[in-house]
Amino acid sequence: MTVATTTETVPGTVLAAQDVNVTNAPKPDAGNDLNNNSHGKDMGDSKELTSKDLDDYLHHYNKWQQSRFGRALQQWIADHLGLKFDAEIKWKNVLMIGGLHLTTVIMFFKYVWYSTLTTWLWGFFVGGCAGFGVTAGAHRLWTHRAYKAKLPLRIILMCCYCLSGQNSLFDWVRDHRIHHKYSETDADPHNSNRGFFYAHVGWLLIRKHPECIKKGRLIDMSDVLADPVIQFHQRYFMALKILFTFLVPSMVPWLFLGEPLYLSFLANCLLRYVLTLNFTWLVNSAAHIYGNKPYDSRIRPAENRAVSIVSMGEGWHNYHHVFPWDYKAAEMGHYSVNVTTFWLDVFAKIGWAYDLKEPSKELVRRTLEKYGDGTHITAPIGHLKEVPEQETTKSR
């Protein structure tokens, strides 16, 4: 599946002008408008990368090797537990992610009884802001260019993304672009054909497939690096992550809301953080395995309402992989199951979000009729046919 452009959607489909609706579009500016975010740019492979550049990158990447202890431990697991992996385990990530989750579970059952209304409300607010940074920022804006954002909104999105505590925006966008372009292949970072656990978090725990490494270097990221907001985030990534993921969420309730510091830390640096990570990961795992496929039955991504609720609208995944450039990431866009769309519409009303792209209803109809599995709400129910009325009735 090709990454968000305005000329491609379902494989083999070329869009006409009337197939793409762009709302809240300002008048063209002849100057160099950084807010345009490379509208219409073909987000394919970099055309400036030479074979030597790629070879040098792969050589540098392959310098990383497991430690002797790591190799011995992985071999022991294979010999005694029968668990064999086709790539080196990243034990550092296993310890950090596994330790974070284990500690969170233990601390939750010990201290949940001490939580207050402030604990939950602040955690819900911070978690929502973090989710908005991922969905509206990293995903719909910087990866798919589904809309354009003025500088104040891009700064807000960057700060909100930092609350999520994930990889750098550059890494997130790169991985997601190759996920769409090479979905469910060896080049897909979280290929769901390798199972739920791998698609959910396992892909972060072992070395990437060689094809994934190669395609990740080839993908064109020049439009992302041209954004000064991304440049700032890239330059100060670790400081921003520490500040927004851990310090701000835990210090504000303690300093201004009367929350004990230990409780604020546990609720925000552990529980809220773990939930934010898993809600994002569910889009890669559950939404690629469980659900119906009303728009394209040939691909694995599916419509999953539960995932959409916890991920602020990212669970309508069959639709999204067919129309990745739709700013709603869903056909219906109901706010109750797509909170991200609600906030984007709010920012559109004040002019901070504009050129919001979505397919025409006619294009959606043609697509689902040709490729869908028949579960769309408008699809006829073939087996429910009325018995025709007889021309004559038996007199009583």
Side-chain angles (χ1 to χ4, degrees):
M1 188 70 63
T2 305
V3 176
T5 71
T6 55
T7 57
E8 297 183 53
T9 174
V10 178
T13 301
V14 178
L15 303 188
Q18 64 269 23
D19 289 332
V20 182
N21 298 327
V22 181
T23 60
N24 206 35
K27 294 180 180 179
D29 185 354
N32 181 21
D33 181 12
L34 288 175
N35 296 322
N36 279 342
N37 295 324
S38 305
H39 176 58
K41 175 183 176 63
D42 179 12
M43 297 181 190
D45 291 343
S46 174
K47 297 177 176 59
E48 299 178 356
L49 191 70
T50 65
S51 297
K52 183 179 184 304
D53 293 333
L54 181 59
D55 290 340
D56 290 344
Y57 173 79
L58 295 176
H59 176 72
H60 175 76
Y61 190 95
N62 289 327
K63 284 184 178 179
W64 178 85
Q65 298 291 334
Q66 259 187 342
S67 66
R68 182 179 301 177
F69 175 77
R71 288 195 299 272
L73 182 56
Q74 185 167 344
Q75 186 61 49
W76 185 90
I77 291 175
D79 295 339
H80 294 81
L81 302 180
L83 298 175
K84 297 183 179 180
F85 301 90
D86 56 5
E88 298 98 329
I89 296 175
K90 295 181 176 180
W91 289 108
K92 177 182 176 182
N93 289 8
V94 171
L95 290 174
M96 288 194 302
I97 296 176
L100 174 66
H101 282 70
L102 180 61
T103 303
T104 299
V105 171
I106 295 173
M107 293 295 103
F108 175 78
F109 286 107
K110 183 174 182 179
Y111 290 101
V112 66
W113 321 109
Y114 300 93
S115 62
T116 65
L117 182 61
T118 300
T119 308
W120 295 103
L121 290 179
W122 177 253
F124 185 81
F125 171 75
V126 175
C129 290
F132 184 65
V134 174
T135 59
H139 190 212
R140 302 187 196 184
L141 176 63
W142 281 300
T143 297
H144 293 302
R145 302 301 185 190
Y147 68 99
K148 298 175 187 176
K150 292 187 176 179
L151 182 61
L153 178 54
R154 300 208 311 277
I155 293 174
I156 291 173
L157 290 170
M158 184 270 289
C159 292
C160 286
Y161 176 82
C162 291
L163 288 168
S164 71
Q166 300 187 31
N167 291 336
S168 72
L169 274 166
F170 179 89
D171 289 346
W172 203 104
V173 173
R174 178 202 61 207
D175 286 349
H176 198 71
R177 284 185 176 180
I178 61 176
H179 162 65
H180 272 262
K181 189 168 185 178
Y182 305 103
S183 189
E184 322 304 355
T185 69
D186 288 336
D188 185 347
H190 31 80
N191 178 8
S192 66
N193 286 320
R194 300 180 69 173
F196 180 94
F197 182 80
Y198 180 85
H200 192 76
V201 66
W203 64 284
L204 295 168
L205 307 180
I206 65 174
R207 187 183 183 89
K208 288 181 178 179
H209 191 281
E211 277 300 302
C212 183
I213 300 170
K214 179 181 178 181
K215 299 302 184 184
R217 182 64 182 92
L218 286 171
I219 203 75
D220 187 2
M221 295 287 289
S222 59
D223 60 305
V224 178
L225 292 174
D227 189 333
V229 175
I230 298 290
Q231 294 172 11
F232 180 85
H233 177 268
Q234 193 74 2
R235 185 176 298 116
Y236 302 107
F237 165 64
M238 189 52 66
L240 289 169
K241 182 174 182 177
I242 293 172
L243 176 65
F244 284 97
T245 304
F246 304 109
L247 295 181
V248 171
S250 58
M251 298 297 284
V252 168
W254 175 55
L255 293 174
F256 302 105
L257 302 177
E259 189 88 341
L261 180 59
Y262 81 92
L263 188 60
S264 183
F265 173 83
L266 294 175
N268 291 281
C269 297
L270 293 182
L271 180 61
R272 190 274 312 171
Y273 184 26
V274 164
L275 290 177
T276 298
L277 291 175
N278 282 275
F279 290 164
T280 300
W281 295 341
L282 281 171
V283 179
N284 301 328
S285 54
H288 271 257
I289 298 175
Y290 307 113
N292 59 318
K293 304 175 182 180
Y295 304 97
D296 194 341
S297 60
R298 304 168 301 172
I299 59 178
R300 283 183 64 88
E303 304 288 279
N304 192 305
R305 186 183 185 89
V307 172
S308 193
I309 292 173
V310 299
S311 65
M312 300 176 63
E314 301 296 288
W316 310 113
H317 223 49
N318 188 250
Y319 178 90
H320 173 62
H321 269 257
V322 176
F323 303 105
W325 41 270
D326 187 339
Y327 87 99
K328 305 186 307 300
E331 179 188 2
M332 307 304 179
H334 297 310
Y335 292 155
S336 61
V337 286
N338 200 335
V339 180
T340 300
T341 297
F342 166 78
W343 286 111
L344 287 178
D345 287 345
V346 169
F347 282 110
K349 290 185 182 300
I350 64 175
W352 286 11
Y354 60 99
D355 280 9
L356 289 78
K357 289 180 283 187
E358 54 185 323
S360 66
K361 294 185 182 299
E362 176 60 21
L363 175 62
V364 174
R365 183 192 64 78
R366 295 200 312 263
T367 302
L368 66 89
E369 287 182 356
K370 186 173 183 180
Y371 300 109
D373 63 2
T375 60
H376 191 268
I377 191 172
T378 62
I381 304 177
H383 66 283
L384 296 181
K385 296 182 178 180
E386 294 181 348
V387 177
E389 183 180 359
Q390 298 295 324
E391 294 182 3
T392 60
T393 58
K394 183 178 181 180
S395 59
R396 294 182 180 275

